[in-house]
């Protein structure tokens, strides 16, 4: 498409830069993640992406996982702060609305975000364990190829 930009937020570095007291609070939190249309996304009923976002076949009730994850390759911590999917929160001692506001302001600072303006032929490698990404609305034709890999077959010691 024309004027297409994808922004990437480094959720691992944003976690590293948190104060220790905040990290201690966040590592105890579990979240229920589930897509809910009409919140962050507002997809029409016939939008072909809606079924993928809702995970109708696999995660109809959502999935519960820690807010702070350990990367499967290097075991380093990062935030799994997909805020637009969080439906319930467990294990926090601070009110979630306050934590959510704090994380929103902290994580989405310019220093953690990179923007890519697409040109024909561009190729990006990203680690979905470490980042959140979002694109603007595509104008014109969009052709996207997506691939994934399992870390245990990528790295050799």
């Amino acid at each position: 498409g024309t004027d297409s930009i994808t922004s990437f937020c480094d959720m691992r570095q944003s976690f590293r830069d948190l104060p220790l007291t905040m990290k201690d609070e966040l590592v105890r939190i579990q979240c229920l993640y589930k897509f809910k249309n009409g919140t962050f996304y507002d997809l029409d009923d016939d939008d072909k992406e809606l079924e993928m976002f809702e995970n109708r076949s696999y995660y109809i009730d959502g999935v519960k996982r820690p807010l702070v994850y350990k990367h499967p390759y290097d075991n380093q911590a990062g935030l799994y702060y997909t805020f637009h999917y969080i439906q319930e929160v467990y294990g926090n001692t601070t009110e979630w609305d306050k934590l959510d506001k704090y994380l929103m302001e902290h994580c989405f600072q310019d220093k953690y975000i990179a923007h890519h303006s697409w040109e024909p032929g561009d190729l990006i490698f990203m680690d979905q364990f470490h980042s959140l990404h979002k694109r603007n609305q595509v104008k014109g034709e969009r052709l996207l190829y997506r691939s994934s890999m399992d870390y245990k077959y990528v790295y050799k010691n």
Side-chain angles (χ1 to χ4, degrees):
T2 57
D3 301 322
S4 184
I5 299 169
T6 303
S7 300
F8 302 89
C9 185
D10 186 344
M11 301 307 285
R12 187 153 104 166
Q13 188 60 48
S14 65
F15 178 75
R16 287 180 184 143
D17 290 350
L18 286 168
L20 185 56
T21 54
M22 181 57 73
K23 288 179 188 176
D24 289 342
E25 169 89 16
L26 299 178
V27 297
R28 292 191 298 269
I29 296 176
Q30 295 274 322
C31 298
L32 175 67
Y33 298 90
K34 184 177 182 197
F35 175 80
K36 188 173 182 182
N37 200 16
T39 55
F40 187 73
Y41 295 98
D42 194 15
L43 303 173
D44 294 330
D45 288 338
D46 63 346
D47 191 308
K48 55 188 171 184
E49 288 188 296
L50 187 58
E51 185 171 349
M52 178 207 53
F53 278 121
E54 289 181 338
N55 284 311
R56 292 176 187 163
S57 349
Y58 299 102
Y59 303 109
I60 193 73
D61 296 322
V63 62
K64 191 175 178 183
R65 61 173 47 166
L67 180 61
V68 177
Y69 70 89
K70 296 287 186 169
H71 193 281
Y73 174 68
D74 62 16
N75 210 32
Q76 291 191 26
L79 288 170
Y80 192 79
Y81 181 53
T82 51
F83 60 92
H84 49 294
Y85 281 84
I86 296 173
Q87 300 299 317
E88 295 179 34
V89 182
Y90 315 92
N92 49 311
T93 56
T94 305
E95 185 180 319
W96 175 247
D97 287 344
K98 290 179 183 177
L99 286 174
D100 189 37
K101 183 177 189 249
Y102 179 90
L103 288 173
M104 190 70 70
E105 291 173 3
H106 173 76
C107 294
F108 299 108
Q109 296 177 65
D110 287 342
K111 67 182 177 179
Y112 302 123
I113 299 175
H115 306 281
H116 181 77
S117 296
W118 290 91
E119 298 289 333
D122 282 357
L123 178 66
I124 287 185
F125 286 91
M126 65 178 282
D127 188 332
Q128 297 249 118
F129 284 101
H130 293 278
S131 64
L132 289 179
H133 69 283
K134 182 163 180 23
R135 64 169 168 77
N136 63 342
Q137 184 174 359
V138 174
K139 300 174 194 167
E141 293 293 315
R142 177 181 185 226
L143 180 60
L144 171 70
Y145 293 98
R146 178 176 286 172
S147 179
S148 63
M149 59 187 87
D150 188 331
Y151 279 96
K152 65 185 172 188
Y153 299 112
V154 175
Y155 295 101
K156 294 205 180 229
N157 293 332

